[in-house]
Amino acid sequence: MKMLPGVGVFGTGSSARVLVPLLRAEGFTVEALWGKTEEEAKQLAEEMNVAFYTSRTDDVLLHQDVDLVCISIPPPLTRQISVKALGIGKNVVCEKAATSVDAFRMVTASRYYPQLMSLVGNVLRFLPAFVRMKQLISEHYVGAVMICDARIYSGSLLSPSYGWICDELMGGGGLHTMGTYIVDLLTHLTGRRAEKMLMGGGVCSTVTLNFNMPGAFVHEVMVVGSAGRLVARGADLYGQKNSAMQEELLLRDSLAVGTGLPEQGPQDVPLLYLKGMVYMVQALRQSFQGQSDRRTWDRAPVSMAASFEDGLYMQSVVDAIKRSSRSGEWEAVEVLTEEPDANQNLCEALQRNNL
């Protein structure tokens, strides 16, 4: 009998609380749960009815029934666990890394094991609105792409206690937390990469991130071309040709989420991202189902997913934005092709702290 791979989940935060029931709903078995402390792991394991829990990384990675690892933990730990998981022969779906150097090491590991799944979980790519938007752009609905505009308005990302999200060097801050995925999404949609704080081919992109806006979460992505425009408002897609008097609804996302999910998780994760997680897990199930071995997978159902190479690119763009902010000039996007000297990284980090 062909079975889906057993899953090891790293993390005890909101995303992990949502991910566990979503995986089970699609037929996956969550075999192991990791938390940074034994107490945190035990608490969530009992809440989610997961038999095996631990605070030791190797206990999950070496678990004989775990073939797929889902990593939803603070960025500083992502590289270490994902690289080790690939080395042991596990398929990996994880969040972004904390730095470009970490992202580069993840890319290097994924190149050593190309037969294994190594995906960055940008769930926006899986939303039907963006799948359809990408298709329409390739079919020249908007003509030649000229402008990309994204707006994300949200309440504060900070928690009452100090944590990694407060520290830039640990991958914190709104630009890294949500901005990286918007950068990745725009490149995915248009096929253009940022070069010198300007997308290739003369495409102008503007991204507004405001995390001081209490109230409803706002997420809007617009692509404007010579023949028309496409706008994704939340999970719905609208379009308007230049010759039309008004825009038309092209796709309404009617997916209902929340059933079977714990209360704490959905409250902390915007609905748009909840839907994206549902679609991502569905794609993972389609990728693994019907395979003769629990570690083999079909690339087609997850073809829209971000790779580790995409993760390195999005981190490189964010680094260029930060350099531009400090220098007051347009900085070029530099994607690492080899690992830099460790002493140089330390000096740069100390210099940033002093600034």
Side-chain angles (χ1 to χ4, degrees), residues 75-263:
L77 303 175
T78 299
R79 184 267 307 166
Q80 175 187 356
I81 296 176
S82 61
V83 169
K84 193 173 221 181
L86 289 172
I88 293 174
K90 310 293 185 180
N91 293 302
V92 175
V93 179
C94 67
E95 295 295 323
K96 51 198 168 296
T99 66
S100 289
V101 175
D102 280 357
F104 178 79
R105 290 171 179 167
M106 290 166 63
V107 168
T108 302
S110 69
R111 289 173 179 169
Y112 273 119
Y113 309 101
Q115 75 281 9
L116 294 174
M117 176 181 286
S118 52
L119 305 179
V120 177
N122 183 359
V123 298
L124 296 176
R125 285 187 176 218
F126 292 88
L127 288 164
F130 292 119
V131 173
R132 180 65 175 147
M133 180 184 275
K134 179 176 174 61
Q135 178 185 356
L136 289 171
I137 291 172
S138 67
E139 294 172 356
H140 308 292
Y141 180 97
V142 301
V145 176
M146 301 164 58
I147 298 171
C148 298
D149 184 83
R151 298 184 302 124
I152 291 85
Y153 299 155
S154 169
S156 176
L157 300 176
L158 302 178
S159 60
S161 57
Y162 184 88
W164 67 267
I165 202 168
C166 306
D167 192 331
E168 175 189 346
L169 297 180
M170 295 178 70
L175 177 60
H176 187 278
T177 304
M178 299 187 77
T180 46
Y181 285 156
I182 298 300
V183 168
D184 173 65
L185 179 65
L186 293 178
T187 291
H188 174 64
L189 292 172
T190 64
R192 310 288 180 84
R193 286 197 163 196
E195 296 173 352
K196 193 174 184 180
M197 294 298 89
L198 182 72
M199 296 189 80
V203 178
C204 179
S205 293
T206 303
V207 178
T208 303
L209 305 173
N210 191 328
F211 301 108
N212 296 294
M213 298 281 284
F217 177 76
V218 175
H219 192 286
E220 182 176 295
V221 176
M222 178 187 301
V223 177
V224 181
S226 57
R229 66 181 61 194
L230 291 165
V231 187
R233 297 189 182 98
D236 300 328
L237 180 63
Y238 299 83
Q240 183 175 356
K241 291 283 192 176
N242 289 346
S243 56
M245 296 297 294
Q246 59 184 17
E247 68 180 18
E248 58 180 330
L249 175 64
L250 299 176
L251 186 148
R252 172 82 69 187
D253 192 323
S254 57
L255 177 70
V257 296
T259 305
L261 296 179
E263 292 184 2

Side-chain angles (χ1 to χ4, degrees), residues 41 54-55 108 129 140 185-186 221 225 258 271 273 291 298 303 308 342 349:
T54 182
S55 60
T108 302
H140 308 292
L185 179 65
L186 293 178
V221 176
L271 179 60
Y273 286 83
Q291 299 296 312
D298 181 2
S303 60
F308 279 13

Side-chain angles (χ1 to χ4, degrees), residues 7-12 16 20 30-35 40-41 44-46 48 50 52-55 60:
V7 183
V9 174
F10 283 83
T12 56
V20 171
V30 178
E31 300 285 357
L33 182 67
W34 177 93
E40 287 185 7
L44 186 58
E46 291 178 348
M48 297 289 174
V50 178
F52 182 83
Y53 62 88
T54 182
S55 60
V60 176

Side-chain angles (χ1 to χ4, degrees), residues 56-75:
R56 291 181 292 188
T57 302
D58 288 354
D59 287 351
V60 176
L61 297 182
L62 297 176
H63 195 293
Q64 63 179 359
D65 295 322
V66 170
D67 295 300
L68 171 63
V69 174
C70 294
I71 305 171
S72 183
I73 55 178

